Amino acid sequence: MAKQLDYHTIRAIFTRFQEADPEPKGELDHVNVYTLVVAVALSAQATDAGVNKATKELFKVADTPQKMLDLGLEALTDHIKTIGLFRQKAKNVMKLSQILVDEYNGEVPNSRAALQSLPGVGRKTANVVLNMWWQQPAQAVDTHIFRVGNRTGIAPGKTVDAVERAVEDNIPADFQLHAHHWLILHGRYHCKARKPMCPTCIIKDLCPFEDKTVH
């Protein structure tokens, strides 16, 4: 775990991220806020690419909670059987769809507490939805952000909650909206777990990571 970076260094890092990718986007395909909730819930312990492949046909026939209920558990399970933990995830999607129909008139609520009350929706999923759909500066910490936050000293912490608080506390407000996308994409494509691509990294001179790769 690197030491906490100072404000000016963090601002310089995010200035570079912004210049390289002014409007970073999440990579989960969705057509509305409901399908975003489903896609993010399905993405736990799965790749975005794998989820997108499974939901491509699913969302053509079930893009609302009622349509998902009409589709039924068996058909949903068949659509997502290539995703890890698909049986439990299918049950959660059906349960959350029923709750949305019964308690929210088929609409997805826009509060973290309400989202987290849905089966299969944890704090990370709720934060992704709040950020991507409602443009709230909510920070969803996945394995990529946890790794990058600790390696770089942008948001060091021993737990996911600690890193989330550090991201919210340490990153300047004007970068908060896109912060988690920049960090996820940086971790996914550059600051990789096994072999980070340090020689071509746009923040290599600002990053204190001691085990930088040289080739």
Side-chain angles (χ1 to χ4, degrees):
M1 183 189 301
K3 290 183 178 180
Q4 172 66 56
L5 291 178
D6 63 82
Y7 171 84
H8 297 291
T9 304
I10 292 176
R11 171 163 281 283
I13 286 173
F14 280 89
T15 297
R16 292 186 190 179
F17 285 158
Q18 185 179 57
E19 289 172 348
D21 188 1
E23 294 288 335
K25 304 294 182 184
E27 297 185 323
L28 282 172
D29 294 337
H30 58 283
V31 297
N32 54 31
V33 65
Y34 169 70
T35 54
L36 176 60
V37 171
V38 172
V40 179
L42 294 178
S43 72
Q45 294 180 281
T47 65
D48 287 0
V51 172
N52 289 342
K53 186 176 180 179
T55 59
K56 183 177 181 180
E57 296 303 318
L58 172 64
F59 291 159
K60 290 179 181 178
V61 295
D63 61 355
T64 69
Q66 188 59 59
K67 287 180 183 178
M68 191 67 75
L69 294 174
D70 293 342
L71 181 66
L73 178 61
E74 187 175 341
L76 169 60
T77 303
D78 191 56
H79 272 286
I80 66 169
K81 62 186 178 183
T82 55
I83 301 174
L85 308 175
F86 68 95
R87 294 189 188 280
Q88 184 58 49
K89 289 177 180 178
K91 291 177 182 178
N92 285 339
V93 169
M94 297 304 289
K95 289 177 183 176
L96 74 83
S97 298
Q98 190 68 63
I99 291 172
L100 291 176
V101 168
D102 292 345
E103 300 181 19
Y104 297 97
N105 296 316
E107 301 292 329
V108 175
N110 65 348
S111 80
R112 182 183 287 115
L115 285 167
Q116 284 188 247
S117 73
L118 300 173
V121 177
R123 185 177 179 89
K124 187 183 83 170
T125 297
N127 281 349
V128 170
V129 174
L130 290 172
N131 181 276
M132 288 182 63
W133 193 260
W134 283 293
Q135 302 291 293
Q136 293 186 22
Q139 305 302 334
V141 176
D142 67 351
T143 55
H144 297 301
I145 292 184
F146 189 84
R147 178 175 67 254
V148 173
N150 278 293
R151 274 183 181 173
T152 62
I154 291 171
K158 293 183 178 180
T159 66
V160 167
D161 288 345
V163 171
E164 181 182 323
R165 287 194 300 272
V167 169
E168 293 176 346
D169 291 343
N170 301 338
I171 296 172
D174 48 323
F175 295 120
Q176 283 281 333
L177 180 59
H178 294 313
H180 99 271
H181 279 135
W182 281 319
L183 292 172
I184 286 172
L185 294 171
H186 189 65
R188 183 174 291 161
Y189 297 112
H190 300 284
C191 196
K192 300 177 182 180
R194 295 184 179 179
K195 192 176 181 182
M197 300 167 66
C198 300
T200 58
C201 176
I202 63 172
I203 63 166
K204 63 181 178 181
D205 57 316
L206 301 173
C207 173
F209 182 47
E210 293 181 357
D211 298 322
K212 284 191 176 78
T213 54
V214 294
H215 56 77

